[in-house]
Amino acid sequence: MAETPLIRTTLLVALIVAFGLAAASRAPAADQGPQMIQVAASDSGSRFVPLGIGKSVVIDLPRDVKDVLVADPKIANAVIRSTRRAYIIGSTVGQTNVFFFDHSGQQIIGLDIAVTRDLNGLRAAIRQALPNSDIRVEGLGEGLVLTGNVATPLEAQTAFDIASRLTGEAAKVVNAITVHGRDQVMLKVTVAEIQRDVIKQLGINLAGQFGSGASVLKFNTDNPFGAHGQALSDSKIEPTFGNIGNRVTATIRAMERAGVIRTLAEPSLTAISGESSSFLAGGEFPVPAGRTCDPVTLICTDSIQWKKFGVGLNFTPVVLGEGRISLRVQTEVSELSTEAAVQLQGLTIPSLRVRRADTTVEIPSGGALAMAGMIQEQTKQQMNGLPGLMQVPVLGTLFKSRDFVNRQTELVVIVTPFVVRAVAQRNLSRPDDGFADPSDPASILLGRLNRIYGVPKPKDQLIKHSNYRGNYGFILD
């Protein structure tokens, strides 16, 4: 019975120790809460390092390095030769980052590596070709970006061409070069043409009859003019020989035409160097383009296309420097003609007589160059008549027609570019400067279309000592 208190005391101590151990084991779990996650390294504070393919950069570190992390070893690689020096080598075009850690796991430095093409050779080539220009070259992925300032568009185009050779494709080069002082070019085009036509037609047609009673022989010849296509006019002489039963009627057509056509067009147009510009002075004429019918209502609608004609000019100037200009010129002079007209559903569709030139020339400012020219001579002669009889000397003229056409054309296209500057409006003249409408009495009684004004006589009559005689002002012939 005496051992009972001792046993109870021992059990009590054991329970206290057990509860203490259980509390000690649960105490860390009670203290556990949301753990703070820290970013040991990121590119937010990284240093940007551009690098070329096959090029390297040496990095000196402030303290000993323990670990190195390269995000993409295919783009760039890091080599550690000592505890405080690293070599970064570019392998292929792309972007990656490199982090260096010390023995305690803290970040030493982070590098944002951009591996691009080696641009030093390109920069040297541009400086050699354009020593006076300010052009900067930067890499962007597999492409290039050109920035800076140049004086002429030719310099910007030269830099773009050199960069395109390096990349292999022009689409990989972004040309952001600013051109200062872009010149403006005024182009004057002169289209002069002279056409001379000589047409001679002589033809005799015979119609008549011979015989008596029931036996009658009738004949009729119709000899066309094949060279020109038709007779110049309906003028003719019709003498008749014989009586009513036996008679011959001769239709004689002798016609001649001599004509001269002079065409002169001088369009002028101004455009900025490197930009295209177009000009048209003329009109449009309708041409049927087809008919569309509704299968339900059976209503047909004709569609019409409009064709342009007149004096047209389209050119692209590029100032090469030192007053020389490269021109891409497209000029056209067209007019309506009835020579090849088409009859369609009672409508006459005219043809177009066109003189067109398209070429690229190089010429100094203020100089003129004949960019196109043509001398053409066409002779056509045709005889129609009765076989055999038309071959008889002298008398064969009665049984044939002769059509002779001679056409001579001389055409020249002259271009004259000028490097121009803007001027004040008062220094420019207009075609209607000085024009004034006439009064009703002058228009009705004297037939004048414009007012003619003269020198007013001063009160002192000093004008009588002047050598000037006659009127001055706007004269319209």
Side-chain angles (χ1 to χ4, degrees):
M1 297 297 294
E3 296 180 353
T4 301
L6 179 60
I7 294 173
R8 291 179 178 176
T9 303
T10 302
L11 292 176
L12 181 60
V13 171
L15 289 175
I16 293 173
V17 171
F19 280 112
L21 292 175
S25 62
R26 289 194 301 268
D31 295 339
Q32 289 181 355
Q35 300 295 321
M36 299 299 294
I37 300 176
Q38 297 181 356
V39 177
S42 67
D43 58 355
S44 59
S46 298
R47 180 177 178 181
F48 178 75
V49 177
L51 195 60
I53 300 177
K55 300 292 183 176
S56 61
V57 63
V58 180
I59 304 297
D60 289 331
L61 302 173
R63 55 182 183 271
D64 295 343
V65 63
K66 175 64 177 178
D67 190 13
V68 179
L69 173 62
V70 180
D72 192 349
K74 296 181 180 179
I75 297 177
N77 193 12
V79 179
I80 304 297
R81 292 298 184 182
S82 64
T83 58
R84 294 197 177 188
R85 174 164 289 185
Y87 304 93
I88 309 298
I89 303 173
S91 301
T92 183
V93 176
Q95 291 185 347
T96 185
N97 49 14
V98 180
F99 297 101
F100 297 91
F101 301 93
D102 56 11
H103 289 273
S104 62
Q106 297 296 322
Q107 177 183 350
I108 301 176
I109 190 175
L111 301 178
D112 189 4
I113 308 297
V115 181
T116 59
R117 300 176 183 270
D118 184 14
L119 305 178
N120 292 329
L122 176 60
R123 295 188 180 101
I126 293 178
R127 282 195 301 267
Q128 183 178 2
L130 305 171
N132 298 325
S133 63
D134 180 19
I135 299 177
R136 295 179 294 274
V137 183
E138 300 294 338
L140 180 62
E142 296 183 356
L144 301 175
V145 179
L146 302 179
T147 58
N149 303 306
V150 294
T152 63
L154 179 62
E155 295 181 355
Q157 185 63 33
T158 302
F160 178 79
D161 294 339
I162 295 175
S164 299
R165 292 293 182 90
L166 176 65
T167 59
E169 297 182 12
K172 294 183 179 180
V173 180
V174 179
N175 190 357
I177 300 176
T178 303
V179 180
H180 291 290
R182 301 184 67 180
D183 296 318
Q184 296 186 102
V185 179
M186 184 186 74
L187 180 65
K188 178 181 179 182
V189 179
T190 301
V191 181
E193 179 185 18
I194 290 292
Q195 179 179 333
R196 307 174 185 90
D197 292 335
V198 176
I199 302 175
K200 298 179 181 179
Q201 294 179 341
L202 176 61
I204 300 177
N205 296 327
L206 300 178
Q209 63 181 11
F210 294 99
S212 61
S215 300
V216 178
L217 175 62
K218 296 183 179 181
F219 62 92
N220 188 6
T221 62
D222 187 5
N223 301 318
F225 298 108
H228 183 64
Q230 60 183 357
L232 293 178
S233 67
D234 293 333
S235 301
K236 56 187 176 180
I237 301 176
E238 293 183 346
T240 302
F241 306 94
N243 52 27
I244 299 177
N246 301 296
R247 63 179 180 179
V248 177
T249 301
T251 303
I252 302 174
R253 292 186 175 182
M255 293 157 288
E256 183 175 351
R257 174 189 293 176
V260 176
I261 300 176
R262 175 177 179 264
T263 302
L264 177 63
E266 292 184 338
S268 298
L269 195 61
T270 303
I272 298 177
S273 176
E275 302 294 336
S276 298
S277 186
S278 60
F279 167 83
L280 175 64
E284 297 181 351
F285 66 96
V287 175
R291 172 173 292 185
T292 304
C293 296
D294 191 345
V296 179
T297 60
L298 300 179
I299 298 177
C300 297
T301 304
D302 295 328
S303 59
I304 295 177
Q305 292 183 352
W306 296 87
K307 301 294 183 179
K308 298 180 180 180
F309 69 95
V311 179
L313 174 62
N314 188 353
F315 84 110
T316 304
V318 177
V319 179
L320 303 179
E322 299 181 358
R324 300 200 63 85
I325 304 172
S326 176
L327 293 174
R328 171 68 187 274
V329 185
Q330 296 174 329
T331 181
E332 176 180 309
V333 177
S334 59
E335 59 185 354
L336 299 178
S337 176
T338 58
E339 293 183 358
V342 178
Q343 298 289 336
L344 181 62
Q345 298 178 359
L347 300 177
T348 301
I349 303 175
S351 61
L352 284 178
R353 184 170 175 267
V354 182
R355 282 81 74 202
R356 182 184 296 117
D358 184 357
T359 185
T360 301
V361 295
E362 182 178 336
I363 187 172
S365 176
L369 179 65
M371 57 171 279
M374 181 188 67
I375 297 178
Q376 180 182 7
E377 183 173 359
Q378 183 183 40
T379 301
K380 296 188 295 183
Q381 184 172 203
Q382 186 172 359
M383 291 186 181
N384 297 314
L386 293 177
L389 294 179
M390 63 178 295
Q391 307 298 333
V392 177
V394 182
L395 295 179
T397 308
L398 301 175
F399 303 96
K400 67 181 179 181
S401 65
R402 175 178 177 266
D403 194 7
F404 173 80
V405 177
N406 179 261
R407 178 170 296 170
Q408 298 176 348
T409 302
E410 184 174 355
L411 171 67
V412 64
V413 179
I414 302 174
V415 293
T416 307
F418 300 92
V419 177
V420 295
R421 298 288 186 272
V423 298
Q425 185 178 3
R426 63 177 179 272
N427 295 330
L428 300 176
S429 60
R430 306 196 314 263
D432 62 337
D433 288 344
F435 178 82
D437 293 325
S439 61
D440 290 342
S443 177
I444 297 173
L445 301 178
L446 302 179
R448 293 179 178 175
L449 300 177
N450 57 273
R451 187 184 301 274
I452 300 178
Y453 47 92
V455 179
K457 294 183 180 181
K459 296 181 180 180
D460 54 4
Q461 299 296 325
L462 294 178
I463 195 172
K464 63 182 179 180
H465 301 291
S466 176
N467 295 325
Y468 174 79
R469 295 292 184 271
N471 297 325
Y472 72 95
F474 189 96
I475 306 297
L476 179 64
D477 294 332

PDB file of all heavy atoms in Angstrom, residues 430-455:
ATOM      1  N   ARG A 430      -0.865  84.579-114.855  1.00  0.00           N
ATOM      2  CA  ARG A 430      -1.948  83.704-115.278  1.00  0.00           C
ATOM      3  C   ARG A 430      -2.323  84.035-116.716  1.00  0.00           C
ATOM      4  O   ARG A 430      -2.044  85.140-117.211  1.00  0.00           O
ATOM      5  CB  ARG A 430      -3.176  83.880-114.375  1.00  0.00           C
ATOM      6  CG  ARG A 430      -2.910  83.714-112.895  1.00  0.00           C
ATOM      7  CD  ARG A 430      -4.233  83.516-112.150  1.00  0.00           C
ATOM      8  NE  ARG A 430      -5.246  84.457-112.567  1.00  0.00           N
ATOM      9  CZ  ARG A 430      -5.533  85.589-111.934  1.00  0.00           C
ATOM     10  NH1 ARG A 430      -4.845  85.931-110.862  1.00  0.00           N
ATOM     11  NH2 ARG A 430      -6.489  86.389-112.366  1.00  0.00           N
ATOM     12  N   PRO A 431      -2.975  83.110-117.422  1.00  0.00           N
ATOM     13  CA  PRO A 431      -3.371  83.408-118.802  1.00  0.00           C
ATOM     14  C   PRO A 431      -4.384  84.537-118.925  1.00  0.00           C
ATOM     15  O   PRO A 431      -4.455  85.188-119.975  1.00  0.00           O
ATOM     16  CB  PRO A 431      -3.968  82.076-119.291  1.00  0.00           C
ATOM     17  CG  PRO A 431      -3.386  81.043-118.408  1.00  0.00           C
ATOM     18  CD  PRO A 431      -3.205  81.699-117.078  1.00  0.00           C
ATOM     19  N   ASP A 432      -5.144  84.819-117.869  1.00  0.00           N
ATOM     20  CA  ASP A 432      -6.179  85.852-117.957  1.00  0.00           C
ATOM     21  C   ASP A 432      -5.734  87.179-117.376  1.00  0.00           C
ATOM     22  O   ASP A 432      -6.575  88.059-117.133  1.00  0.00           O
ATOM     23  CB  ASP A 432      -7.455  85.385-117.252  1.00  0.00           C
ATOM     24  CG  ASP A 432      -7.221  85.129-115.771  1.00  0.00           C
ATOM     25  OD1 ASP A 432      -6.061  84.886-115.381  1.00  0.00           O
ATOM     26  OD2 ASP A 432      -8.194  85.172-115.009  1.00  0.00           O
ATOM     27  N   ASP A 433      -4.433  87.341-117.128  1.00  0.00           N
ATOM     28  CA  ASP A 433      -3.961  88.623-116.607  1.00  0.00           C
ATOM     29  C   ASP A 433      -4.224  89.735-117.622  1.00  0.00           C
ATOM     30  O   ASP A 433      -3.831  89.653-118.788  1.00  0.00           O
ATOM     31  CB  ASP A 433      -2.462  88.554-116.306  1.00  0.00           C
ATOM     32  CG  ASP A 433      -2.173  87.707-115.073  1.00  0.00           C
ATOM     33  OD1 ASP A 433      -3.130  87.449-114.315  1.00  0.00           O
ATOM     34  OD2 ASP A 433      -1.020  87.303-114.882  1.00  0.00           O
ATOM     35  N   GLY A 434      -4.882  90.790-117.184  1.00  0.00           N
ATOM     36  CA  GLY A 434      -5.161  91.925-118.057  1.00  0.00           C
ATOM     37  C   GLY A 434      -6.380  91.771-118.930  1.00  0.00           C
ATOM     38  O   GLY A 434      -6.689  92.673-119.720  1.00  0.00           O
ATOM     39  N   PHE A 435      -7.084  90.656-118.816  1.00  0.00           N
ATOM     40  CA  PHE A 435      -8.265  90.462-119.671  1.00  0.00           C
ATOM     41  C   PHE A 435      -9.463  91.202-119.075  1.00  0.00           C
ATOM     42  O   PHE A 435      -9.687  91.187-117.864  1.00  0.00           O
ATOM     43  CB  PHE A 435      -8.584  88.980-119.801  1.00  0.00           C
ATOM     44  CG  PHE A 435      -9.807  88.699-120.631  1.00  0.00           C
ATOM     45  CD1 PHE A 435      -9.737  88.670-122.007  1.00  0.00           C
ATOM     46  CD2 PHE A 435     -11.039  88.474-120.026  1.00  0.00           C
ATOM     47  CE1 PHE A 435     -10.850  88.413-122.766  1.00  0.00           C
ATOM     48  CE2 PHE A 435     -12.163  88.223-120.774  1.00  0.00           C
ATOM     49  CZ  PHE A 435     -12.074  88.192-122.154  1.00  0.00           C
ATOM     50  N   ALA A 436     -10.225  91.842-119.955  1.00  0.00           N
ATOM     51  CA  ALA A 436     -11.444  92.538-119.537  1.00  0.00           C
ATOM     52  C   ALA A 436     -12.492  92.368-120.630  1.00  0.00           C
ATOM     53  O   ALA A 436     -12.180  92.421-121.820  1.00  0.00           O
ATOM     54  CB  ALA A 436     -11.168  94.021-119.294  1.00  0.00           C
ATOM     55  N   ASP A 437     -13.719  92.108-120.207  1.00  0.00           N
ATOM     56  CA  ASP A 437     -14.803  91.936-121.176  1.00  0.00           C
ATOM     57  C   ASP A 437     -15.113  93.262-121.851  1.00  0.00           C
ATOM     58  O   ASP A 437     -15.082  94.333-121.219  1.00  0.00           O
ATOM     59  CB  ASP A 437     -16.058  91.408-120.466  1.00  0.00           C
ATOM     60  CG  ASP A 437     -15.850  90.006-119.945  1.00  0.00           C
ATOM     61  OD1 ASP A 437     -15.131  89.226-120.607  1.00  0.00           O
ATOM     62  OD2 ASP A 437     -16.397  89.682-118.877  1.00  0.00           O
ATOM     63  N   PRO A 438     -15.458  93.244-123.142  1.00  0.00           N
ATOM     64  CA  PRO A 438     -15.787  94.491-123.842  1.00  0.00           C
ATOM     65  C   PRO A 438     -17.181  94.979-123.467  1.00  0.00           C
ATOM     66  O   PRO A 438     -18.006  94.240-122.929  1.00  0.00           O
ATOM     67  CB  PRO A 438     -15.696  94.092-125.308  1.00  0.00           C
ATOM     68  CG  PRO A 438     -16.092  92.656-125.305  1.00  0.00           C
ATOM     69  CD  PRO A 438     -15.540  92.079-124.036  1.00  0.00           C
ATOM     70  N   SER A 439     -17.409  96.193-123.762  1.00  0.00           N
ATOM     71  CA  SER A 439     -18.755  96.734-123.564  1.00  0.00           C
ATOM     72  C   SER A 439     -19.674  96.233-124.668  1.00  0.00           C
ATOM     73  O   SER A 439     -19.231  95.744-125.712  1.00  0.00           O
ATOM     74  CB  SER A 439     -18.704  98.271-123.566  1.00  0.00           C
ATOM     75  OG  SER A 439     -18.211  98.744-124.815  1.00  0.00           O
ATOM     76  N   ASP A 440     -20.983  96.357-124.434  1.00  0.00           N
ATOM     77  CA  ASP A 440     -21.943  95.886-125.434  1.00  0.00           C
ATOM     78  C   ASP A 440     -21.807  96.627-126.765  1.00  0.00           C
ATOM     79  O   ASP A 440     -21.854  95.994-127.828  1.00  0.00           O
ATOM     80  CB  ASP A 440     -23.365  96.021-124.876  1.00  0.00           C
ATOM     81  CG  ASP A 440     -23.614  95.033-123.757  1.00  0.00           C
ATOM     82  OD1 ASP A 440     -22.844  94.043-123.657  1.00  0.00           O
ATOM     83  OD2 ASP A 440     -24.557  95.239-122.978  1.00  0.00           O
ATOM     84  N   PRO A 441     -21.670  97.947-126.800  1.00  0.00           N
ATOM     85  CA  PRO A 441     -21.499  98.611-128.108  1.00  0.00           C
ATOM     86  C   PRO A 441     -20.240  98.154-128.838  1.00  0.00           C
ATOM     87  O   PRO A 441     -20.267  97.947-130.060  1.00  0.00           O
ATOM     88  CB  PRO A 441     -21.431 100.093-127.740  1.00  0.00           C
ATOM     89  CG  PRO A 441     -22.155 100.199-126.446  1.00  0.00           C
ATOM     90  CD  PRO A 441     -21.853  98.933-125.720  1.00  0.00           C
ATOM     91  N   ALA A 442     -19.115  97.977-128.108  1.00  0.00           N
ATOM     92  CA  ALA A 442     -17.889  97.521-128.763  1.00  0.00           C
ATOM     93  C   ALA A 442     -18.028  96.109-129.274  1.00  0.00           C
ATOM     94  O   ALA A 442     -17.471  95.745-130.314  1.00  0.00           O
ATOM     95  CB  ALA A 442     -16.720  97.627-127.796  1.00  0.00           C
ATOM     96  N   SER A 443     -18.751  95.273-128.563  1.00  0.00           N
ATOM     97  CA  SER A 443     -18.923  93.894-129.008  1.00  0.00           C
ATOM     98  C   SER A 443     -19.872  93.795-130.189  1.00  0.00           C
ATOM     99  O   SER A 443     -19.633  93.041-131.133  1.00  0.00           O
ATOM    100  CB  SER A 443     -19.420  93.042-127.842  1.00  0.00           C
ATOM    101  OG  SER A 443     -19.661  91.721-128.246  1.00  0.00           O
ATOM    102  N   ILE A 444     -20.972  94.572-130.158  1.00  0.00           N
ATOM    103  CA  ILE A 444     -21.973  94.462-131.219  1.00  0.00           C
ATOM    104  C   ILE A 444     -21.552  95.224-132.472  1.00  0.00           C
ATOM    105  O   ILE A 444     -21.620  94.708-133.591  1.00  0.00           O
ATOM    106  CB  ILE A 444     -23.335  94.970-130.703  1.00  0.00           C
ATOM    107  CG1 ILE A 444     -23.825  94.074-129.540  1.00  0.00           C
ATOM    108  CG2 ILE A 444     -24.360  94.998-131.817  1.00  0.00           C
ATOM    109  CD1 ILE A 444     -25.067  94.597-128.865  1.00  0.00           C
ATOM    110  N   LEU A 445     -21.084  96.460-132.287  1.00  0.00           N
ATOM    111  CA  LEU A 445     -20.778  97.298-133.439  1.00  0.00           C
ATOM    112  C   LEU A 445     -19.388  97.051-134.005  1.00  0.00           C
ATOM    113  O   LEU A 445     -19.200  97.055-135.235  1.00  0.00           O
ATOM    114  CB  LEU A 445     -20.929  98.779-133.051  1.00  0.00           C
ATOM    115  CG  LEU A 445     -22.315  99.192-132.545  1.00  0.00           C
ATOM    116  CD1 LEU A 445     -22.331 100.648-132.150  1.00  0.00           C
ATOM    117  CD2 LEU A 445     -23.395  98.894-133.597  1.00  0.00           C
ATOM    118  N   LEU A 446     -18.407  96.830-133.164  1.00  0.00           N
ATOM    119  CA  LEU A 446     -17.032  96.662-133.625  1.00  0.00           C
ATOM    120  C   LEU A 446     -16.574  95.204-133.646  1.00  0.00           C
ATOM    121  O   LEU A 446     -15.487  94.914-134.146  1.00  0.00           O
ATOM    122  CB  LEU A 446     -16.079  97.469-132.722  1.00  0.00           C
ATOM    123  CG  LEU A 446     -16.353  98.975-132.644  1.00  0.00           C
ATOM    124  CD1 LEU A 446     -15.366  99.651-131.712  1.00  0.00           C
ATOM    125  CD2 LEU A 446     -16.309  99.597-134.042  1.00  0.00           C
ATOM    126  N   GLY A 447     -17.380  94.295-133.111  1.00  0.00           N
ATOM    127  CA  GLY A 447     -17.031  92.875-133.148  1.00  0.00           C
ATOM    128  C   GLY A 447     -15.863  92.497-132.261  1.00  0.00           C
ATOM    129  O   GLY A 447     -15.151  91.533-132.562  1.00  0.00           O
ATOM    130  N   ARG A 448     -15.628  93.222-131.179  1.00  0.00           N
ATOM    131  CA  ARG A 448     -14.523  92.919-130.286  1.00  0.00           C
ATOM    132  C   ARG A 448     -14.943  91.891-129.232  1.00  0.00           C
ATOM    133  O   ARG A 448     -16.050  91.942-128.719  1.00  0.00           O
ATOM    134  CB  ARG A 448     -14.030  94.191-129.611  1.00  0.00           C
ATOM    135  CG  ARG A 448     -13.372  95.173-130.585  1.00  0.00           C
ATOM    136  CD  ARG A 448     -12.930  96.430-129.871  1.00  0.00           C
ATOM    137  NE  ARG A 448     -12.268  97.354-130.786  1.00  0.00           N
ATOM    138  CZ  ARG A 448     -11.866  98.577-130.452  1.00  0.00           C
ATOM    139  NH1 ARG A 448     -12.091  99.032-129.215  1.00  0.00           N
ATOM    140  NH2 ARG A 448     -11.255  99.343-131.331  1.00  0.00           N
ATOM    141  N   LEU A 449     -14.004  91.019-128.953  1.00  0.00           N
ATOM    142  CA  LEU A 449     -14.243  89.992-127.937  1.00  0.00           C
ATOM    143  C   LEU A 449     -13.637  90.345-126.599  1.00  0.00           C
ATOM    144  O   LEU A 449     -13.891  89.661-125.604  1.00  0.00           O
ATOM    145  CB  LEU A 449     -13.674  88.644-128.411  1.00  0.00           C
ATOM    146  CG  LEU A 449     -14.266  88.093-129.719  1.00  0.00           C
ATOM    147  CD1 LEU A 449     -13.578  86.808-130.097  1.00  0.00           C
ATOM    148  CD2 LEU A 449     -15.768  87.877-129.568  1.00  0.00           C
ATOM    149  N   ASN A 450     -12.807  91.356-126.541  1.00  0.00           N
ATOM    150  CA  ASN A 450     -12.200  91.776-125.295  1.00  0.00           C
ATOM    151  C   ASN A 450     -11.971  93.279-125.356  1.00  0.00           C
ATOM    152  O   ASN A 450     -11.965  93.895-126.415  1.00  0.00           O
ATOM    153  CB  ASN A 450     -10.871  91.056-125.050  1.00  0.00           C
ATOM    154  CG  ASN A 450      -9.887  91.266-126.187  1.00  0.00           C
ATOM    155  OD1 ASN A 450      -9.918  90.512-127.156  1.00  0.00           O
ATOM    156  ND2 ASN A 450      -9.028  92.267-126.090  1.00  0.00           N
ATOM    157  N   ARG A 451     -11.785  93.860-124.192  1.00  0.00           N
ATOM    158  CA  ARG A 451     -11.578  95.292-124.109  1.00  0.00           C
ATOM    159  C   ARG A 451     -10.125  95.625-124.447  1.00  0.00           C
ATOM    160  O   ARG A 451      -9.192  94.973-123.992  1.00  0.00           O
ATOM    161  CB  ARG A 451     -11.903  95.782-122.696  1.00  0.00           C
ATOM    162  CG  ARG A 451     -11.876  97.305-122.551  1.00  0.00           C
ATOM    163  CD  ARG A 451     -12.102  97.668-121.088  1.00  0.00           C
ATOM    164  NE  ARG A 451     -13.374  97.152-120.602  1.00  0.00           N
ATOM    165  CZ  ARG A 451     -14.549  97.790-120.730  1.00  0.00           C
ATOM    166  NH1 ARG A 451     -14.589  98.971-121.345  1.00  0.00           N
ATOM    167  NH2 ARG A 451     -15.659  97.269-120.258  1.00  0.00           N
ATOM    168  N   ILE A 452      -9.929  96.639-125.288  1.00  0.00           N
ATOM    169  CA  ILE A 452      -8.604  97.136-125.636  1.00  0.00           C
ATOM    170  C   ILE A 452      -8.473  98.521-125.039  1.00  0.00           C
ATOM    171  O   ILE A 452      -9.257  99.414-125.340  1.00  0.00           O
ATOM    172  CB  ILE A 452      -8.403  97.188-127.166  1.00  0.00           C
ATOM    173  CG1 ILE A 452      -8.559  95.780-127.759  1.00  0.00           C
ATOM    174  CG2 ILE A 452      -7.040  97.761-127.507  1.00  0.00           C
ATOM    175  CD1 ILE A 452      -8.421  95.744-129.265  1.00  0.00           C
ATOM    176  N   TYR A 453      -7.495  98.669-124.166  1.00  0.00           N
ATOM    177  CA  TYR A 453      -7.346  99.946-123.483  1.00  0.00           C
ATOM    178  C   TYR A 453      -5.994 100.546-123.865  1.00  0.00           C
ATOM    179  O   TYR A 453      -5.031  99.844-124.151  1.00  0.00           O
ATOM    180  CB  TYR A 453      -7.460  99.786-121.965  1.00  0.00           C
ATOM    181  CG  TYR A 453      -6.653  98.649-121.396  1.00  0.00           C
ATOM    182  CD1 TYR A 453      -5.355  98.858-120.945  1.00  0.00           C
ATOM    183  CD2 TYR A 453      -7.193  97.363-121.292  1.00  0.00           C
ATOM    184  CE1 TYR A 453      -4.617  97.833-120.428  1.00  0.00           C
ATOM    185  CE2 TYR A 453      -6.457  96.328-120.779  1.00  0.00           C
ATOM    186  CZ  TYR A 453      -5.163  96.558-120.338  1.00  0.00           C
ATOM    187  OH  TYR A 453      -4.429  95.525-119.818  1.00  0.00           O
ATOM    188  N   GLY A 454      -5.954 101.869-123.892  1.00  0.00           N
ATOM    189  CA  GLY A 454      -4.753 102.563-124.340  1.00  0.00           C
ATOM    190  C   GLY A 454      -4.202 103.482-123.272  1.00  0.00           C
ATOM    191  O   GLY A 454      -4.595 103.450-122.115  1.00  0.00           O
ATOM    192  N   VAL A 455      -3.269 104.326-123.693  1.00  0.00           N
ATOM    193  CA  VAL A 455      -2.603 105.244-122.777  1.00  0.00           C
ATOM    194  C   VAL A 455      -3.477 106.466-122.588  1.00  0.00           C
ATOM    195  O   VAL A 455      -3.843 107.128-123.565  1.00  0.00           O
ATOM    196  CB  VAL A 455      -1.226 105.647-123.332  1.00  0.00           C
ATOM    197  CG1 VAL A 455      -0.532 106.623-122.388  1.00  0.00           C
ATOM    198  CG2 VAL A 455      -0.375 104.416-123.553  1.00  0.00           C
TER     199      VAL A 455
END
